[in-house]
Amino acid sequence: MAGNEMIILHVLGARPNFVKAAPVIDALAARGAAQAVVHTGQHYDEKMSEIFFRELGLPEPDVNLGVGSGSHAAQTAALMTGLEAEFLRRAPELVVVYGDVNSTIAAALVAAKLHLPVAHVEAGLRSFDMTMPEEVNRRLTDQLSALCLVTSPEAIGHLAAEGIDPARAHLVGNPMIDTLLTNLGHFDTAAVRAAHHLPERYVLATLHRPANVDDPATAAALVTHLHGIADLADLVIPLHPRGRANLLAAGLDTHQGVHVLDPLGYIDFLAAVRGAAAVVTDSGGLQEETTILAVPCLTVRPNTERPITITHGTNRLVTLDDLVPETRKALETDRHGTKRTPPLWDGHAGERIAEVIQTWRRESTR
Ligand code: UD1
């Protein structure tokens, strides 16, 4: 992708990064920016990685570091070692990082130590729950970023409260929603139902947070409640590799109303979400996507870093004990629709990010 000129280097590692980066890379390419993509290899299965590159038209990564899985320390250390060599070799003028995964903080930390400026896409979101690795990653990445690119207005206040100069924060909208709106015409629910033998009416579940699936006893309790949902309506669950073993060991697929699928690609997954009567999740991005698709979303977490999906969208936080009754309510009340679209979730966040980066480049080379 890049010639000899100074490059903007995007660091991508995990599934949600790919969805957020596609419109940013496109918008920068349209402005003639020289770019490179480093894939850390944090996610590596075909269904967790390549399929997203293909479907979203992402450029082939210039390099894949093949870091893979490990404990937080082992994975983050491997990410940092691999990224340091790449940053030294490529000497980018800006490193762009996305979201809150281990690849994000590893890249920000390495860049900061090499005095390379960082732009953080999806800055300022806070769950205020430091037991979540993502919260640690977000807070530290923002501290290290020259450009904090914000998807939701309350994030500006969070950054200010942490002492981050307001001049670094830019409300740009949500690039994940750019990708959703760009691909909306491809979300064919009938096709995905036919391909996976799914019924007309179903609840779609995705669950992969460590707090929900890592401990076998918690996973077993979750499965009991998921079976309770399957008593009400068919339950479709594309299984993230994390938690697969624990959920299946707890008998997830022993209920005849449960349809366990492998992870789906972007287009099939969003098609399945669009056609769902309700969604049960612990994902961050899906809270946002259901907000725009107007599908009721029940988030099995005690908190969310995306409160705008509650105030402006279809999201509700539920405890495990409330999960079945709340799902029943969601099924009975039918779709409740989006109340208001969050500001700037309009399909143009990538362009705004490119604009902020271009302005920053002009100012920093003056
Ligand atoms: C990571 C992010 C999480 C994000 C999620 C999206 C961190 C700390 N967490 O969680 O915020 O919501 O991605 O999917 O960065 N595995 C595979 N194949 C793969 C990738 C992972 O089998 O391609 C399995 C491995 O057993 C691995 C486990 O999943 O140990 C967890 O992967 P990891 O990247 O550490 O975290 P995620 O749970 O995917």
Side-chain angles (χ1 to χ4, degrees), residues 3 31 45 105 162 186 193 246 263 272 286:
R31 287 159 193 258
D45 290 345
I105 177 61
E162 290 167 21
H186 302 302
R193 271 198 201 106
N246 282 347
L286 195 44

Side-chain angles (χ1 to χ4, degrees), residues 68-144:
S69 307
S71 69
H72 281 283
Q75 187 182 57
T76 308
L79 288 161
M80 289 181 67
T81 310
L83 287 167
E84 186 177 55
E86 283 305 319
F87 292 177
L88 285 170
R89 199 149 62 82
R90 294 172 192 271
E93 78 174 298
L94 180 70
V95 174
V96 186
V97 300
Y98 296 84
D100 53 19
V101 303
N102 283 348
S103 297
T104 312
I105 177 61
L109 200 45
V110 171
K113 298 283 178 76
L114 294 175
H115 307 156
L116 297 172
V118 175
H120 181 205
V121 174
E122 202 184 84
L125 297 185
R126 297 290 180 267
S127 66
F128 301 100
D129 176 356
M130 287 293 274
T131 66
M132 293 181 69
E134 292 81 2
E135 184 74 357
V136 177
N137 293 346
R138 286 182 203 114
R139 280 179 181 260
L140 300 181
T141 300
D142 287 336
Q143 285 295 331
L144 300 172

Side-chain angles (χ1 to χ4, degrees), residues 84-289:
E84 186 177 55
E86 283 305 319
F87 292 177
L88 285 170
R89 199 149 62 82
R90 294 172 192 271
E93 78 174 298
L94 180 70
V95 174
V96 186
V97 300
Y98 296 84
D100 53 19
V101 303
N102 283 348
S103 297
T104 312
I105 177 61
L109 200 45
V110 171
K113 298 283 178 76
L114 294 175
H115 307 156
L116 297 172
V118 175
H120 181 205
V121 174
E122 202 184 84
L125 297 185
R126 297 290 180 267
S127 66
F128 301 100
D129 176 356
M130 287 293 274
T131 66
M132 293 181 69
E134 292 81 2
E135 184 74 357
V136 177
N137 293 346
R138 286 182 203 114
R139 280 179 181 260
L140 300 181
T141 300
D142 287 336
Q143 285 295 331
L144 300 172
S145 296
L147 294 175
C148 290
L149 301 162
V150 167
T151 55
S152 189
E154 82 286 355
I156 301 266
H158 297 155
L159 294 169
E162 290 167 21
I164 290 172
D165 179 355
R168 281 157 56 191
H170 303 267
L171 179 64
V172 290
N174 191 335
M176 193 172 234
I177 301 306
D178 288 14
T179 300
L180 183 141
L181 296 175
T182 301
N183 290 285
L184 201 54
H186 302 302
F187 302 155
D188 184 346
T189 305
V192 86
R193 271 198 201 106
H196 297 280
H197 313 287
L198 305 180
E200 188 71 22
R201 184 167 180 269
Y202 58 87
V203 173
L204 183 95
T206 72
L207 294 149
H208 71 276
R209 290 282 157 205
N212 281 332
V213 302
D214 278 7
D215 170 49
T218 312
L222 180 58
V223 165
T224 306
H225 293 280
L226 294 175
H227 285 175
I229 294 176
D231 290 337
L232 304 173
D234 282 75
L235 182 74
V236 176
I237 176 158
L239 271 191
H240 186 287
R242 174 177 218 119
R244 185 179 180 95
N246 282 347
L247 292 172
L248 291 178
L252 177 64
D253 59 348
T254 57
H255 190 299
Q256 60 170 14
V258 173
H259 307 253
V260 172
L261 308 180
D262 282 340
L264 296 172
Y266 180 75
I267 300 291
D268 276 1
F269 181 64
L270 268 296
V273 171
R274 191 185 201 177
V279 161
V280 170
T281 194
D282 57 12
S283 150
L286 195 44
Q287 297 170 49
E288 299 181 342
E289 290 160 335

